[in-house]
Amino acid sequence: MLPIHSPKPPSSTTKATTTPELNSIEHKNSSSSFRSQNSFVFPNSNRLWLLLVIVSLQIILLLMARGLPLSHRRTHFPSPLSYDHKPVQNPANFSTHRSKSANISISSTVSSPPDRCSSGRIFVYDLPAFFNRELLDNCADLDPWHSRCEALSNGGFGREAAGLSGVIPEGLVPAWYWTDQFAMEVIYHNRVLSHECRTTEPDSAMAFYIPFYAGLAVGKYLWLGYSSKDRDRYCEMMLEWLKDQPYWNRSDGWDHFMTMGRITWDFRRSKNEDWGSSCIYMPGMRNITRLLIERNPWDYFDVVVPYPTGFHPRSDSDIVQWQNFVRNRRRKTLFCFVGAPRAAIKNDFRGLLLNHCNNASGSCKAADCTGSRCSNGTSVILQTFLDSDFCLQPRGDSFTRRSVFDCMIA
């Protein structure tokens, strides 16, 4: 910034009193300043050559990067047409595929596929059936009020979605199921068993998956007066089993992970009289990475994943088709709300939202889920979301609700 008042020019008296010694010093300073500036503007030959080498290397690296095929740069959902028309089901098939690819002549223009398991392979423990399969076999007893068998069918996807014909494109109807919000453990277990990066050799594994259905195991004991010991029993037995596993003892669980299909707060009981189990607070759980819903933000080992929705795309093309469908959808109302009032809560906010939507004709649409109208899957929910620009989403029993993610899909 320029000064407000310009400095006064030096008086003639000052000039007259300047000594020859001062003139000499000023001349030296001016001369040295010029030499330093001159050396900066005109670098010596060594600096010039160094600069040219650095610039040349940068240009070469840029050209090499631009020459890479796009398929080598993709990191999102894999294309169904990438190097096989169907995913590799096990490591043996994967090895066979690679050996066949090696027989292609060098002159061929077809490049070999990238190794999608370069980050490592997963070993899946064969847990005793008590911790997973028997829970599914006894699905009728997992809930004190109704059977969970339909909800956990089809590898955890649940029943095929009926009633969506005419609501969504016909080609996408097979990609929709009435999926239960707490089915993540079953879904993930089924998918990892057939994943191309699964290995049956633990020595070659980078990570170890523990297929314990912790959410299903504790869900039965959250209500109707069960004791804290009932809620903790499955997790305690699972940890006792792990202590006998050599790969667990080798790392003390640091390279082990599991899925827990409920919110983290269902596994963080501090006192016996509180809600949920104390599974996460048990000593053996300390180093296990946990994929669950609504993580504890202060716990590094909690990794949050969304509630499962009803949309299970089979390929990239399903995703692209769905995106085009929702982007071009004509929305009829500004807002919508899907939910049920809580009669036991005074001034219940959900009840207020329902009344507001019902009274705001034309600008808000409501789907009343009182009772079990929405529990078993209904096209009304999806259609309500598809017909609105915005979804009203008050917090649920915890910080989020499954409906938040259904709304994002729509």
Side-chain angles (χ1 to χ4, degrees):
M1 176 182 285
L2 294 174
I4 297 175
H5 300 289
S6 301
K8 293 181 180 180
S11 63
S12 58
T13 306
T14 306
K15 292 181 179 179
T17 58
T18 303
T19 64
E21 289 81 7
L22 182 58
N23 287 335
S24 175
I25 293 172
E26 289 178 350
H27 177 74
K28 289 178 180 179
N29 291 341
S30 175
S31 176
S32 62
S33 174
F34 175 78
R35 282 197 300 268
S36 63
Q37 291 178 8
N38 193 37
S39 65
F40 177 77
V41 175
F42 303 102
N44 58 37
S45 58
N46 291 336
R47 292 181 181 178
L48 180 60
W49 278 112
L50 179 61
L51 179 62
L52 289 175
V53 169
I54 293 174
V55 172
S56 301
L57 285 175
Q58 290 178 338
I59 294 174
I60 292 171
L61 290 175
L62 179 62
L63 292 174
M64 290 174 63
R66 293 187 63 182
L68 285 175
L70 286 175
S71 60
H72 289 204
R73 290 183 254 166
R74 289 188 63 180
T75 56
H76 59 83
F77 196 87
S79 168
L81 301 179
S82 60
Y83 65 83
D84 258 345
H85 293 290
K86 59 182 179 180
V88 180
Q89 297 301 316
N90 54 58
N93 289 347
F94 187 73
S95 301
T96 303
H97 172 77
R98 294 191 67 181
S99 64
K100 288 180 179 179
S101 299
N103 292 329
I104 300 175
S105 70
I106 298 176
S107 61
S108 173
T109 57
V110 180
S111 59
S112 60
D115 183 4
R116 293 180 56 201
C117 304
S118 58
S119 297
R121 296 184 178 274
I122 301 170
F123 178 79
V124 182
Y125 277 111
D126 185 15
L127 282 182
F130 175 78
F131 296 110
N132 43 46
R133 191 166 59 250
E134 286 185 7
L135 289 168
L136 294 181
D137 292 340
N138 297 297
C139 52
D141 301 325
L142 291 177
D143 190 294
W145 295 285
H146 51 78
S147 170
R148 298 288 306 282
C149 295
E150 278 194 347
L152 300 174
S153 60
N154 287 324
F157 285 0
R159 293 183 298 115
E160 296 179 2
L164 292 183
S165 181
V167 177
I168 64 175
E170 291 298 323
L172 290 174
V173 172
W176 277 85
Y177 295 79
W178 298 135
T179 303
D180 187 83
Q181 63 179 338
F182 297 133
M184 181 184 70
E185 297 156 340
V186 184
I187 294 173
Y188 188 91
H189 188 196
N190 277 280
R191 294 193 69 172
V192 76
L193 284 177
S194 59
H195 198 277
E196 61 189 316
C197 295
R198 178 198 174 196
T199 178
T200 57
E201 298 297 333
D203 285 329
S204 64
M206 183 70 71
F208 294 79
Y209 173 57
I210 309 166
F212 168 44
Y213 298 167
L216 299 185
V218 75
K220 176 181 178 180
Y221 303 103
L222 292 175
W223 297 274
L224 302 183
Y226 284 102
S227 68
S228 58
K229 290 184 178 180
D230 293 325
R231 299 194 293 272
D232 291 345
R233 185 171 68 251
Y234 273 89
C235 192
E236 289 174 342
M237 295 176 66
M238 184 273 298
L239 291 173
E240 283 296 319
W241 183 87
L242 274 179
K243 290 178 183 178
D244 296 329
Q245 307 308 310
Y247 294 94
W248 165 268
N249 293 315
R250 183 184 66 180
S251 66
D252 199 24
W254 277 90
D255 51 6
H256 286 56
F257 73 101
M258 61 186 296
T259 51
M260 305 178 81
R262 301 183 69 94
I263 60 174
T264 188
W265 317 109
D266 288 346
F267 307 100
R268 292 181 177 273
R269 191 190 71 246
S270 298
K271 297 180 291 186
N272 285 342
E273 60 270 20
D274 290 344
W275 170 270
S277 81
S278 61
C279 185
I280 288 179
Y281 292 143
M282 295 178 186
M285 288 289 292
R286 180 60 270 170
N287 297 332
I288 298 177
T289 298
R290 305 171 292 268
L291 280 64
L292 37 65
I293 302 163
E294 286 194 16
R295 68 181 291 264
N296 180 345
W298 296 279
D299 191 333
Y300 173 82
F301 291 89
D302 272 10
V303 178
V304 67
V305 296
Y307 282 94
T309 68
F311 183 43
H312 301 283
R314 300 155 295 179
S315 63
D316 275 1
S317 59
D318 276 0
I319 296 177
V320 173
Q321 187 179 0
W322 180 260
Q323 289 173 332
N324 291 334
F325 168 66
V326 295
R327 285 169 179 160
N328 297 317
R329 178 84 173 182
R330 287 182 58 86
R331 311 283 174 162
K332 300 176 182 177
T333 56
L334 184 63
F335 292 101
C336 71
F337 172 64
V338 175
R342 305 293 178 88
I345 301 176
K346 185 179 180 180
N347 297 323
D348 170 45
F349 189 63
R350 294 190 184 192
L352 294 175
L353 282 180
L354 280 172
N355 290 333
H356 175 79
C357 272
N358 289 327
N359 293 330
S361 59
S363 60
C364 190
K365 182 178 181 180
D368 189 344
C369 291
T370 302
S372 58
R373 298 178 189 175
C374 303
S375 61
N376 295 321
T378 171
S379 60
V380 174
I381 298 174
L382 181 58
Q383 194 160 10
T384 301
F385 289 149
L386 287 172
D387 286 344
S388 303
D389 285 316
F390 300 99
C391 307
L392 301 173
Q393 295 289 351
R395 60 171 288 175
D397 297 323
S398 58
F399 296 114
T400 61
R401 350 170 29 212
R402 149 75 181 269
S403 184
V404 171
F405 301 96
D406 290 331
C407 179
M408 290 181 183
I409 295 294

